[in-house]
Amino acid sequence: MTATATTLGATPGEARAEFRAGLVTPTAGWCAGRTQANLVVLPRDWAWDFLLFAQRNPAPCPVLEVTEPGQVEPLLAPGADLRTDLPRYRVWRDGELVDEPTDVVDLWRDDLVSFLVGCSFTFEAGLTEAGVPLRHVEQGRNVSMYRTNRACRPAGRLSGPLVVSMRPVPADLVATAVSVTARMPAVHGAPVHVGDPAGLGIDDLARPDHGEAVDAAPGDVPVFWACGVTPQEALISSRPPFAITHAPGHMLVTDSRDVDHRLA
Amino acid sequence: MTATATTLGATPGEARAEFRAGLVTPTAGWCAGRTQANLVVLPRDWAWDFLLFAQRNPAPCPVLEVTEPGQVEPLLAPGADLRTDLPRYRVWRDGELVDEPTDVVDLWRDDLVSFLVGCSFTFEAGLTEAGVPLRHVEQGRNVSMYRTNRACRPAGRLSGPLVVSMRPVPADLVATAVSVTARMPAVHGAPVHVGDPAGLGIDDLARPDHGEAVDAAPGDVPVFWACGVTPQEALISSRPPFAITHAPGHMLVTDSRDVDHRLA
């Protein structure tokens, strides 16, 4: 099936029902104004390490919700089933990607704790609304992401470098981009670095570690935000026996509104 | 010993050394500009419930730091020893207060996890700086605190009502008080309610559940913030076999600066 203008304008509940029925598509652009979330599912035994890693590294890992063990309906998406309502999942065993199914019903266990983690789609909506251009969207590319020379604070078995996303921002709109995102700490918050890629240990902006290279316009300054890939990289490198995540770009569409994640 | 003007102006490290050496005094007013924190110490077995309760109820329970099990030196107070450097502690067994010692060296165990939790002293400094009067300070009283009819989101064995602190604010400064505290989500953030005590189930402002009654000036409006007593009440009512907290008003003085807890 292919997404249509109609489905893109669906309510969150309607969108989730389409994904549950078998539609497989990236969720960018779906249900404008509603918050999309990263999903990380771990056995109870690993949940403490992950939640503590998030507490110690809130910019790259802004936790929006944690379910009870086994629970499949999150508060942020009433009526949803976390086992079926994302368009595509990734299944990990001992840190290795073993499958990319469209549901995880047969893999579900009573000891699985689900983490919904804030996503940059939310702050990108805020940037667009404030008139800050998104070069990767203009160019039809995925955002550029880089490993940095900054270590996250470790927690239990989890450690790893801070990963950042980079957006080229016109110099006269950098302050606007900072102000807008600073008000959204639940979705990565203010930039961690502005300009000077070398200061983060990034040698060449044209060779990102994840995503795609994005062309800057004349007068653009590279602005770096903490990125949700950070906790996933730390998690995978620590090799938990079992984990489920969303497939990249195939997020949970929640009923929560992006504006709910802005401070007064 | 009695605190003097000199000790009040000490560095955080000097203040902690005085408390370690035996000085017992409330810490209000000590080391202006430095962040003071609530302390909750729990066995590892209870730490998940507490951290999850905090994640689900960030306004009343803003966690600033979580130590590794057994660790006594927090990152926010380099050189400190959490077993000795608060002026007074409370020791709880099965939810009952059993002692108020000035150190907990003999009670320490390798499985104890320490939580440092943000405190309203930090946002009160911001309010004062912005010209918002603090009536309880003017009147030399403890702030008024009330149980509300709002339930916190439960987590594992922890549940309980939201507890709020109330400060009477001149009507023309309510907006200022909101703006200033909204920028400090790590220390309770914006008010949860402005005016209308009945809307929170509070029948009589003159009879607080904790602290002291505070007189409003003509034209003051009662403004309610989420209060750090909330997690302590939930914790005590769930009766963990063992817990240590700070004694009320006898906080950990950290090296962290209040301004570090304001958003850009």
Side-chain angles (χ1 to χ4, degrees), chain A residues 44-45 47-49 51-52 55-56 63-69 71 75 113 115 153-156 178-179 182-183 185 190 263-264, chain B residues 44-45 47-49 51-52 55-56 63-69 71 75 113 115 153-156 178-179 182-183 185 190 263-264:
Chain A
R44 172 73 180 79
D45 168 47
W48 166 259
D49 288 16
L51 187 55
L52 190 59
Q55 194 280 329
R56 291 180 179 169
V63 174
L64 301 179
E65 181 170 352
V66 185
T67 65
E68 293 295 316
Q71 181 189 341
L75 278 187
V113 176
F115 296 84
R153 287 188 57 203
V178 170
S179 302
R183 288 175 57 214
L263 297 175
Chain B
R44 172 74 180 79
D45 168 49
W48 166 258
D49 288 18
L51 187 54
L52 190 59
Q55 193 281 327
R56 292 181 178 168
V63 174
L64 300 179
E65 181 170 353
V66 185
T67 65
E68 294 295 316
Q71 181 188 338
L75 279 187
V113 176
F115 296 84
R153 286 189 57 204
V178 170
S179 302
R183 289 174 58 214
L263 297 176

